Amino acid sequence: MRRAKVLLHWLVTGQLDVSPRGSHFSLPARFDHQGDDWMDNAWSLVVDLDGSPDSHRNQVGTVGFLMPEAPNDWLREGKRFILMEGPLALAEGEITQVRTD
């Protein structure tokens, strides 16, 4: 299963010494190429974060799809997405490096 390094920018505010959702979680992701009907083809990402968000609410980590049959080709360098929690956009993400381990 493909994994990718990611840079997240948190859109929600809170303590800057910890991620708003912890260091390991899974949330639906809306990818930039998807339209308004993105929920018809929604996929969740498993997110593992490194360290804490910086003063600009940016944080690095690794992502991969929750399900093995997910469209792994969506995880390529430069691809952008938004992590969603219901109607709330939690973070914008950009794939910075693809891993195949």
XYZ file of all heavy atoms in Angstrom:
803
model
N 0.849 -1.176 0.000
C 0.000 0.000 0.000
C 0.898 1.244 0.000
O 1.890 1.306 0.703
C -0.923 0.009 1.209
C -1.950 1.095 1.105
S -3.166 1.238 2.435
C -3.685 -0.416 2.727
N 0.525 2.215 -0.776
C 1.311 3.438 -0.912
C 1.117 4.348 0.296
O 0.022 4.477 0.822
C 0.882 4.158 -2.178
C 1.697 5.401 -2.474
C 1.244 6.060 -3.725
N 1.722 5.299 -4.873
C 1.563 5.680 -6.122
N 0.924 6.794 -6.407
N 2.021 4.954 -7.106
N 2.211 4.959 0.721
C 2.189 5.974 1.765
C 2.882 7.214 1.201
O 3.661 7.112 0.262
C 2.936 5.502 3.023
C 2.435 4.188 3.581
C 1.437 4.268 4.676
N 1.904 5.014 5.814
C 1.089 5.676 6.621
N -0.204 5.670 6.414
N 1.544 6.344 7.640
N 2.590 8.360 1.768
C 3.179 9.596 1.260
C 3.471 10.547 2.401
O 2.729 10.606 3.383
C 2.235 10.249 0.254
N 4.563 11.290 2.249
C 4.868 12.378 3.174
C 3.959 13.541 2.827
O 3.656 13.787 1.655
C 6.323 12.816 3.040
C 7.307 11.784 3.534
C 7.138 11.571 4.995
C 8.458 11.577 5.718
N 8.296 11.458 7.155
N 3.523 14.255 3.848
C 2.552 15.323 3.639
C 2.892 16.527 4.514
O 3.478 16.377 5.591
C 1.126 14.800 3.942
C 0.962 14.477 5.401
C 0.067 15.769 3.489
N 2.523 17.694 4.022
C 2.554 18.912 4.819
C 1.108 19.325 5.034
O 0.365 19.529 4.067
C 3.318 20.027 4.108
C 3.294 21.387 4.813
C 3.996 21.308 6.171
C 3.936 22.445 3.940
N 0.707 19.407 6.297
C -0.656 19.838 6.643
C -0.631 21.267 7.161
O 0.302 21.671 7.864
C -1.246 18.955 7.746
C -1.623 17.533 7.417
C -2.225 16.866 8.652
C -2.578 17.457 6.257
N -1.666 22.000 6.817
C -1.894 23.316 7.402
C -3.247 23.250 8.106
O -4.289 23.079 7.452
C -1.902 24.424 6.342
C -2.283 25.744 6.904
N -1.431 26.485 7.712
C -3.442 26.453 6.834
C -2.060 27.588 8.086
N -3.267 27.582 7.574
N -3.202 23.338 9.429
C -4.432 23.242 10.217
C -5.280 24.489 10.036
O -4.789 25.609 10.160
C -4.106 23.023 11.693
C -3.537 21.673 11.945
C -2.220 21.354 12.127
C -4.259 20.449 11.988
N -2.081 20.004 12.296
C -3.318 19.419 12.210
C -5.602 20.110 11.850
C -3.685 18.088 12.309
C -5.969 18.775 11.947
C -5.024 17.794 12.177
N -6.552 24.298 9.739
C -7.499 25.392 9.573
C -8.235 25.704 10.868
O -8.830 26.770 11.003
C -8.509 25.053 8.470
C -7.896 24.768 7.106
C -8.959 24.249 6.141
C -7.201 25.994 6.552
N -8.199 24.766 11.801
C -8.842 24.958 13.103
C -7.801 25.487 14.080
O -6.614 25.204 13.953
C -9.471 23.649 13.627
C -10.622 23.224 12.747
C -8.445 22.542 13.737
N -8.259 26.257 15.032
C -7.333 26.806 16.018
C -7.382 25.969 17.281
O -8.290 25.184 17.501
C -7.689 28.271 16.339
O -9.036 28.315 16.798
C -7.540 29.142 15.111
N -6.391 26.143 18.091
C -6.309 25.403 19.337
C -4.896 25.506 19.868
O -4.109 26.347 19.436
N -4.540 24.621 20.766
C -3.187 24.602 21.309
C -2.198 24.307 20.188
O -2.402 23.392 19.396
C -3.041 23.507 22.362
C -3.851 23.728 23.612
C -3.664 22.556 24.550
O -3.873 21.406 24.179
N -3.242 22.852 25.761
N -1.113 25.051 20.125
C -0.119 24.814 19.089
C 0.891 23.739 19.473
O 1.674 23.319 18.644
C 0.622 26.119 18.756
C -0.186 27.132 17.953
C 0.636 28.370 17.695
C -0.644 26.528 16.640
N 0.874 23.281 20.734
C 1.855 22.280 21.131
C 1.403 20.856 20.797
O 2.171 19.916 20.925
C 2.190 22.398 22.613
C 0.965 22.254 23.510
O -0.168 22.468 23.021
O 1.143 21.926 24.691
N 0.168 20.692 20.322
C -0.329 19.374 19.922
C -1.201 19.522 18.679
O -1.783 20.569 18.436
C -1.165 18.685 21.037
C -0.313 18.358 22.236
C -2.339 19.535 21.433
N -1.281 18.452 17.899
C -2.179 18.441 16.749
C -3.614 18.483 17.253
O -3.933 17.883 18.286
C -1.948 17.155 15.953
O -3.073 16.824 15.196
N -4.515 19.160 16.537
C -5.916 19.210 16.968
C -6.589 17.834 17.044
O -7.619 17.702 17.691
C -6.588 20.076 15.900
C -5.496 20.942 15.388
C -4.263 20.067 15.416
N -6.049 16.807 16.404
C -6.666 15.475 16.430
C -5.709 14.395 16.931
O -5.945 13.224 16.738
C -7.176 15.089 15.035
C -8.331 15.949 14.539
C -9.524 15.815 15.472
N -10.636 16.659 15.100
C -10.887 17.859 15.617
N -10.082 18.392 16.494
N -11.950 18.530 15.243
N -4.608 14.755 17.549
C -3.646 13.779 18.043
C -2.620 13.445 16.973
O -2.567 14.072 15.918
N -1.799 12.426 17.215
C -0.724 12.107 16.275
C -1.090 10.992 15.293
O -0.402 10.796 14.296
C 0.543 11.726 17.039
O 0.304 10.559 17.803
N -2.172 10.261 15.546
C -2.596 9.170 14.662
C -4.122 9.166 14.601
O -4.793 9.020 15.617
C -2.081 7.827 15.195
C -2.518 6.667 14.380
N -1.895 6.292 13.221
C -3.532 5.785 14.556
C -2.506 5.239 12.708
N -3.500 4.904 13.506
N -4.667 9.347 13.378
C -6.121 9.381 13.222
C -6.471 9.106 11.765
O -5.597 9.055 10.895
C -6.693 10.737 13.666
C -6.099 11.907 12.951
C -6.641 12.380 11.770
C -4.974 12.540 13.460
C -6.087 13.454 11.105
C -4.410 13.623 12.803
C -4.971 14.076 11.617
N -7.749 8.940 11.502
C -8.242 8.735 10.145
C -9.440 9.641 9.913
O -10.337 9.720 10.761
C -8.650 7.269 9.952
O -9.135 7.077 8.646
N -9.432 10.332 8.750
C -10.526 11.231 8.387
C -10.754 11.183 6.881
O -9.818 10.913 6.120
C -10.189 12.684 8.763
C -10.214 13.052 10.229
C -9.634 14.445 10.429
C -11.631 12.988 10.774
N -11.969 11.479 6.443
C -12.219 11.593 5.002
C -11.420 12.756 4.419
O -11.227 13.785 5.072
C -13.715 11.867 4.905
C -14.288 11.467 6.213
C -13.200 11.649 7.222
N -10.962 12.565 3.179
C -10.196 13.608 2.491
C -10.890 13.973 1.189
O -11.285 13.101 0.414
C -8.782 13.122 2.217
N -11.013 15.264 0.962
C -11.568 15.766 -0.299
C -10.389 16.238 -1.150
O -9.723 17.220 -0.815
C -12.522 16.921 -0.046
C -13.080 17.472 -1.346
C -13.981 18.646 -1.115
N -14.506 19.112 -2.388
C -15.392 20.062 -2.523
N -15.873 20.654 -1.460
N -15.803 20.427 -3.707
N -10.120 15.523 -2.237
C -9.000 15.860 -3.109
C -9.411 16.941 -4.093
O -10.572 17.047 -4.482
C -8.504 14.606 -3.835
C -7.672 13.724 -2.950
C -8.271 12.881 -2.036
C -6.294 13.758 -3.022
C -7.506 12.074 -1.207
C -5.523 12.954 -2.198
C -6.129 12.115 -1.291
N -8.435 17.768 -4.494
C -8.710 18.933 -5.343
C -9.395 18.575 -6.658
O -10.170 19.374 -7.175
C -7.426 19.707 -5.635
C -7.060 20.663 -4.511
O -7.806 20.737 -3.514
O -6.028 21.344 -4.635
N -9.125 17.408 -7.201
C -9.721 17.057 -8.497
C -11.177 16.626 -8.373
O -11.861 16.496 -9.375
C -8.906 15.949 -9.181
C -9.044 14.627 -8.514
N -8.240 14.242 -7.462
C -9.898 13.608 -8.740
C -8.592 13.027 -7.075
N -9.600 12.621 -7.834
N -11.660 16.425 -7.157
C -13.039 16.003 -6.949
C -13.962 17.216 -6.975
O -13.597 18.297 -6.518
C -13.179 15.270 -5.615
C -12.422 13.950 -5.591
C -12.562 13.263 -4.259
O -12.040 13.736 -3.261
N -13.274 12.148 -4.257
N -15.152 17.042 -7.466
C -16.133 18.132 -7.536
C -16.961 18.222 -6.279
O -16.623 17.651 -5.233
N -18.074 18.918 -6.400
C -18.968 19.095 -5.257
C -19.591 17.788 -4.786
O -20.033 17.684 -3.645
C -20.082 20.086 -5.612
C -19.555 21.501 -5.767
O -18.510 21.822 -5.170
O -20.194 22.284 -6.499
N -19.616 16.791 -5.654
C -20.179 15.487 -5.294
C -19.099 14.530 -4.780
O -19.220 13.318 -4.900
C -20.924 14.883 -6.482
C -20.018 14.658 -7.681
O -18.886 15.205 -7.701
O -20.439 13.949 -8.606
N -18.055 15.069 -4.182
C -16.923 14.263 -3.731
C -17.319 13.154 -2.758
O -16.678 12.117 -2.701
C -15.844 15.153 -3.120
C -16.212 15.725 -1.781
C -16.979 16.822 -1.537
C -15.829 15.218 -0.511
N -17.104 17.039 -0.198
C -16.409 16.072 0.467
C -15.071 14.148 -0.080
C -16.235 15.869 1.828
C -14.893 13.944 1.277
C -15.476 14.799 2.210
N -18.397 13.335 -2.012
C -18.826 12.309 -1.057
C -19.268 11.028 -1.763
O -19.285 9.973 -1.159
C -19.958 12.838 -0.172
C -19.513 13.857 0.859
S -18.382 13.181 2.099
C -19.444 12.028 2.931
N -19.623 11.108 -3.054
C -19.991 9.910 -3.804
C -18.786 9.007 -4.046
O -18.943 7.839 -4.402
C -20.610 10.298 -5.149
C -21.963 10.987 -4.985
O -22.579 10.855 -3.903
O -22.382 11.681 -5.926
N -17.581 9.551 -3.918
C -16.347 8.788 -4.111
C -15.335 9.205 -3.047
O -14.185 9.519 -3.335
C -15.783 9.022 -5.518
C -14.687 8.047 -5.867
O -14.620 6.941 -5.337
N -13.811 8.457 -6.756
N -15.790 9.220 -1.782
C -14.952 9.678 -0.677
C -14.083 8.540 -0.145
O -14.523 7.388 -0.083
C -15.824 10.229 0.442
N -12.864 8.895 0.214
C -11.911 7.950 0.792
C -11.283 8.581 2.023
O -11.003 9.777 2.042
C -10.820 7.601 -0.214
C -11.353 6.889 -1.406
C -11.723 7.440 -2.596
C -11.602 5.496 -1.515
N -12.183 6.471 -3.440
C -12.109 5.255 -2.806
C -11.433 4.415 -0.654
C -12.452 3.989 -3.249
C -11.775 3.152 -1.099
C -12.281 2.945 -2.372
N -11.050 7.759 3.048
C -10.422 8.250 4.273
C -8.928 8.010 4.245
O -8.463 6.987 3.744
C -11.022 7.557 5.500
O -12.354 7.964 5.681
N -8.199 8.967 4.800
C -6.750 8.846 4.946
C -6.411 8.539 6.389
O -7.008 9.082 7.320
C -6.062 10.158 4.559
C -6.047 10.529 3.091
C -5.442 11.920 2.912
C -5.253 9.501 2.290
N -5.438 7.653 6.584
C -4.838 7.421 7.891
C -3.664 8.381 7.977
O -2.807 8.410 7.089
C -4.366 5.964 8.049
C -3.651 5.778 9.377
C -5.542 5.013 7.918
N -3.634 9.184 9.029
C -2.633 10.236 9.181
C -1.764 9.929 10.400
O -2.287 9.680 11.491
C -3.320 11.615 9.350
C -2.290 12.723 9.477
C -4.283 11.886 8.204
N -0.451 9.952 10.205
C 0.527 9.833 11.296
C 1.366 11.100 11.261
O 2.079 11.356 10.277
C 1.412 8.605 11.104
C 0.648 7.319 11.301
O 0.153 7.113 12.416
O 0.539 6.542 10.342
N 1.291 11.899 12.329
C 1.956 13.190 12.364
C 3.256 13.145 13.146
O 3.393 12.376 14.102
C 1.026 14.241 12.968
C -0.222 14.516 12.143
C -1.168 15.432 12.912
C 0.143 15.134 10.801
N 4.194 13.991 12.735
C 5.474 14.140 13.414
C 5.456 15.418 14.228
O 5.027 16.467 13.732
C 6.626 14.231 12.401
C 6.713 13.004 11.505
O 6.332 11.907 11.954
O 7.164 13.157 10.361
N 5.923 15.361 15.455
C 6.076 16.557 16.270
C 4.791 17.315 16.498
O 3.710 16.739 16.580
N 4.935 18.621 16.561
C 3.813 19.523 16.834
C 3.668 20.523 15.700
O 4.624 20.773 14.969
C 4.072 20.300 18.130
O 4.222 19.426 19.210
N 2.496 21.125 15.560
C 2.342 22.183 14.563
C 3.274 23.355 14.877
O 3.533 23.653 16.043
C 0.880 22.617 14.707
C 0.198 21.484 15.397
C 1.233 20.852 16.271
N 3.769 24.017 13.824
C 4.604 25.194 14.042
C 3.731 26.415 14.324
O 2.495 26.300 14.404
C 5.572 25.420 12.869
C 4.886 25.800 11.566
O 3.700 26.203 11.572
O 5.548 25.686 10.514
N 4.332 27.574 14.454
C 3.584 28.783 14.810
C 2.601 29.217 13.723
O 1.708 30.023 13.988
C 4.552 29.926 15.123
O 5.336 30.225 13.980
N 2.748 28.672 12.503
C 1.821 28.976 11.407
C 0.778 27.878 11.227
O 0.072 27.841 10.233
C 2.587 29.186 10.100
C 3.582 30.288 10.178
N 3.211 31.616 10.184
C 4.929 30.265 10.286
C 4.298 32.363 10.274
N 5.349 31.574 10.347
N 0.713 26.936 12.179
C -0.210 25.795 12.177
C 0.107 24.787 11.074
O -0.777 24.097 10.577
C -1.673 26.264 12.114
C -2.112 27.076 13.307
C -3.601 27.313 13.393
N -4.260 27.695 12.183
C -4.549 28.950 11.826
N -4.196 29.943 12.591
N -5.187 29.188 10.700
N 1.376 24.695 10.667
C 1.823 23.693 9.696
C 2.427 22.515 10.438
O 3.057 22.692 11.486
C 2.860 24.290 8.742
C 2.286 25.393 7.892
O 1.143 25.318 7.459
N 3.060 26.426 7.662
N 2.259 21.323 9.871
C 2.777 20.111 10.500
C 3.047 19.079 9.423
O 2.300 18.962 8.453
C 1.748 19.585 11.512
C 2.270 18.504 12.408
C 1.314 18.194 13.555
O 0.145 18.599 13.547
N 1.799 17.463 14.536
N 4.135 18.320 9.593
C 4.481 17.274 8.634
C 4.040 15.923 9.173
O 3.864 15.731 10.373
C 5.985 17.261 8.302
C 6.396 18.550 7.617
C 6.818 17.023 9.541
N 3.867 14.984 8.248
C 3.468 13.640 8.631
C 3.445 12.717 7.436
O 3.986 13.038 6.368
N 2.805 11.592 7.622
C 2.674 10.574 6.593
C 1.213 10.187 6.486
O 0.515 10.100 7.502
C 3.520 9.332 6.959
O 4.867 9.743 7.193
C 3.508 8.302 5.855
N 0.739 9.970 5.246
C -0.646 9.551 5.025
C -0.686 8.323 4.124
O 0.230 8.061 3.354
C -1.509 10.668 4.386
C -1.596 11.878 5.303
C -1.008 11.058 3.020
N -1.762 7.596 4.253
C -2.077 6.476 3.378
C -3.569 6.241 3.463
O -4.220 6.653 4.437
N -4.124 5.612 2.461
C -5.564 5.358 2.491
C -5.906 4.282 3.517
O -5.130 3.353 3.747
C -6.072 4.948 1.110
C -6.218 6.106 0.166
C -5.350 6.264 -0.895
C -7.223 7.042 0.342
C -5.482 7.332 -1.770
C -7.370 8.114 -0.519
C -6.488 8.258 -1.575
N -7.070 4.412 4.102
C -7.554 3.462 5.097
C -7.845 2.104 4.457
O -7.535 1.064 5.024
C -8.812 4.018 5.779
C -9.480 3.165 6.842
C -8.533 2.947 8.017
C -10.760 3.841 7.325
N -8.409 2.109 3.260
C -8.817 0.874 2.594
C -7.824 0.493 1.495
O -7.399 1.357 0.725
C -10.213 1.035 1.989
C -11.279 1.440 2.994
S -11.497 0.248 4.326
C -12.172 -1.121 3.432
N -7.482 -0.789 1.377
C -6.509 -1.211 0.366
C -6.971 -1.000 -1.073
O -6.157 -0.797 -1.966
C -6.282 -2.690 0.650
C -7.264 -3.094 1.667
C -7.908 -1.874 2.241
N -8.279 -0.982 -1.319
C -8.786 -0.808 -2.688
C -8.924 0.666 -3.078
O -9.440 0.991 -4.154
C -10.115 -1.531 -2.882
C -11.262 -0.983 -2.054
C -11.395 -1.597 -0.674
O -10.486 -2.320 -0.218
O -12.420 -1.349 -0.030
N -8.444 1.572 -2.229
C -8.520 3.015 -2.513
C -7.659 3.368 -3.729
O -6.755 2.617 -4.108
C -8.046 3.796 -1.296
N -7.922 4.508 -4.350
C -7.167 4.938 -5.535
C -5.786 5.487 -5.159
O -5.571 6.698 -5.073
C -8.062 6.014 -6.138
C -8.801 6.575 -4.967
C -9.012 5.418 -4.029
N -4.835 4.581 -4.948
C -3.507 4.977 -4.488
C -2.793 5.930 -5.439
O -1.882 6.643 -5.024
C -2.646 3.744 -4.223
C -3.015 3.094 -2.912
O -2.845 3.683 -1.863
N -3.548 1.884 -2.975
N -3.210 5.973 -6.697
C -2.588 6.910 -7.632
C -2.902 8.367 -7.272
O -2.262 9.283 -7.767
C -2.985 6.604 -9.076
C -4.478 6.680 -9.305
O -5.248 6.151 -8.477
O -4.880 7.265 -10.326
N -3.868 8.598 -6.399
C -4.155 9.957 -5.933
C -3.045 10.474 -5.018
O -2.939 11.673 -4.800
C -5.475 10.013 -5.179
C -6.695 9.787 -6.019
C -6.745 9.415 -7.343
C -8.037 9.918 -5.598
N -8.038 9.301 -7.756
C -8.872 9.598 -6.701
C -8.643 10.255 -4.392
C -10.254 9.629 -6.632
C -10.022 10.274 -4.318
C -10.815 9.968 -5.430
N -2.252 9.560 -4.458
C -1.159 9.948 -3.562
C 0.110 10.149 -4.383
O 0.968 9.271 -4.468
C -0.941 8.886 -2.477
C -2.105 8.623 -1.536
C -1.733 7.569 -0.517
C -2.547 9.904 -0.845
N 0.214 11.306 -5.004
C 1.423 11.629 -5.765
C 1.838 13.062 -5.441
O 1.021 13.874 -5.014
C 1.230 11.410 -7.243
C 0.084 12.080 -7.885
C -0.009 11.712 -9.370
N -0.932 12.603 -10.019
C -2.220 12.363 -10.189
N -2.723 11.223 -9.793
N -2.989 13.248 -10.765
N 3.118 13.324 -5.642
C 3.685 14.619 -5.261
C 2.909 15.778 -5.871
O 2.533 15.749 -7.040
C 5.151 14.689 -5.678
C 6.021 13.801 -4.836
C 7.486 13.875 -5.206
O 7.953 14.934 -5.673
O 8.160 12.851 -5.026
N 2.650 16.772 -5.037
C 1.937 17.971 -5.469
C 0.432 17.888 -5.346
O -0.257 18.904 -5.432
N -0.102 16.681 -5.132
C -1.554 16.515 -4.998
C -2.016 17.175 -3.702
O -1.373 17.066 -2.663
C -1.883 15.022 -4.992
C -3.288 14.704 -5.338
C -3.533 14.890 -6.808
C -4.838 14.209 -7.169
N -5.407 14.753 -8.359
N -3.150 17.867 -3.770
C -3.672 18.608 -2.620
C -5.027 18.037 -2.199
O -5.773 17.532 -3.028
C -3.789 20.085 -2.956
C -2.429 20.710 -3.317
C -2.533 22.166 -3.664
N -3.004 22.970 -2.553
C -2.257 23.398 -1.531
N -0.987 23.084 -1.483
N -2.779 24.131 -0.567
N -5.328 18.169 -0.911
C -6.584 17.668 -0.355
C -6.940 18.463 0.883
O -6.126 19.227 1.411
C -6.471 16.174 -0.022
C -5.398 15.860 0.987
C -5.662 15.889 2.342
C -4.115 15.549 0.571
C -4.677 15.616 3.275
C -3.114 15.269 1.488
C -3.397 15.303 2.844
N -8.173 18.261 1.346
C -8.640 18.849 2.602
C -9.146 17.706 3.476
O -9.939 16.876 3.023
C -9.768 19.873 2.361
C -9.255 21.022 1.503
C -10.322 20.389 3.692
C -10.333 21.998 1.083
N -8.692 17.648 4.716
C -9.214 16.678 5.679
C -10.517 17.228 6.244
O -10.569 18.381 6.695
C -8.217 16.447 6.814
C -6.933 15.729 6.437
C -5.995 15.660 7.642
C -7.225 14.328 5.905
N -11.549 16.399 6.189
C -12.890 16.833 6.592
C -13.358 16.067 7.828
O -13.045 14.890 7.993
C -13.870 16.583 5.446
C -13.527 17.259 4.138
S -13.571 19.051 4.209
C -15.332 19.328 4.448
N -14.128 16.757 8.656
C -14.824 16.116 9.777
C -16.263 16.598 9.668
O -16.584 17.705 10.094
C -14.190 16.507 11.102
C -14.728 15.699 12.269
C -13.919 15.938 13.520
O -13.969 17.064 14.052
O -13.227 15.005 13.955
N -17.093 15.771 9.013
C -18.441 16.215 8.680
C -18.321 17.386 7.714
O -17.535 17.338 6.779
N -19.035 18.482 7.957
C -18.943 19.636 7.057
C -17.743 20.546 7.357
O -17.493 21.505 6.635
C -20.253 20.378 7.308
C -20.574 20.050 8.725
C -20.096 18.623 8.945
N -16.993 20.259 8.423
C -15.889 21.107 8.860
C -14.579 20.726 8.166
O -14.149 19.571 8.230
C -15.715 20.993 10.377
C -14.568 21.777 11.004
C -14.787 23.277 10.837
C -14.437 21.411 12.466
N -13.951 21.695 7.504
C -12.623 21.490 6.918
C -11.598 21.686 8.031
O -11.480 22.775 8.599
C -12.395 22.486 5.788
N -10.857 20.614 8.364
C -9.901 20.675 9.474
C -8.514 21.111 9.053
O -7.840 21.845 9.773
C -9.777 19.306 10.149
C -10.965 18.813 10.926
C -10.647 17.460 11.535
C -11.338 19.792 12.010
N -8.058 20.611 7.894
C -6.683 20.899 7.477
C -6.560 20.773 5.968
O -7.227 19.945 5.349
C -5.707 19.938 8.144
N -5.709 21.604 5.394
C -5.328 21.474 3.995
C -4.030 20.679 3.964
O -3.157 20.874 4.811
C -5.082 22.855 3.382
C -6.315 23.715 3.336
C -6.016 25.139 2.894
O -4.852 25.589 3.037
O -6.948 25.788 2.415
N -3.910 19.794 2.994
C -2.709 18.982 2.890
C -2.143 18.978 1.486
O -2.879 19.155 0.503
N -0.831 18.768 1.403
C -0.162 18.613 0.111
C 0.840 17.481 0.222
O 1.637 17.429 1.178
C 0.550 19.894 -0.310
C 1.218 19.747 -1.660
C 1.840 21.034 -2.158
O 1.602 22.098 -1.578
O 2.564 20.969 -3.170
N 0.803 16.574 -0.757
C 1.746 15.460 -0.794
C 3.105 16.010 -1.203
O 3.231 16.685 -2.227
C 1.290 14.377 -1.807
C -0.137 13.907 -1.502
C 2.281 13.231 -1.842
C -0.339 13.179 -0.209
N 4.123 15.719 -0.402
C 5.464 16.226 -0.684
C 6.409 15.146 -1.190
O 7.405 15.455 -1.842
C 6.076 16.895 0.559
O 6.135 15.940 1.623
C 5.237 18.102 0.984
N 6.138 13.889 -0.851
C 7.006 12.791 -1.292
C 6.225 11.486 -1.206
O 5.520 11.242 -0.235
C 8.248 12.714 -0.403
C 9.197 11.612 -0.766
C 10.367 11.525 0.197
O 10.355 12.127 1.266
N 11.363 10.775 -0.152
N 6.353 10.646 -2.216
C 5.657 9.360 -2.252
C 6.598 8.278 -1.772
O 7.771 8.247 -2.116
C 5.142 9.050 -3.674
C 4.487 7.689 -3.719
C 4.171 10.121 -4.122
N 6.046 7.371 -0.958
C 6.793 6.194 -0.480
C 6.039 4.957 -0.926
O 4.824 4.972 -1.036
C 6.875 6.229 1.053
C 7.611 7.429 1.581
C 7.525 7.575 3.065
N 7.642 6.311 3.772
C 7.423 6.161 5.061
N 7.046 7.171 5.776
N 7.540 4.999 5.642
N 6.745 3.888 -1.160
C 6.100 2.646 -1.602
C 6.342 1.481 -0.666
O 6.276 0.343 -1.063
C 6.591 2.265 -3.019
O 8.006 2.165 -3.011
C 6.131 3.278 -4.046
N 6.611 1.760 0.612
C 6.838 0.659 1.558
C 5.565 0.162 2.170
O 4.516 0.610 2.003
C 7.810 1.076 2.671
C 7.448 2.391 3.320
O 6.454 2.460 4.047
O 8.198 3.344 3.082
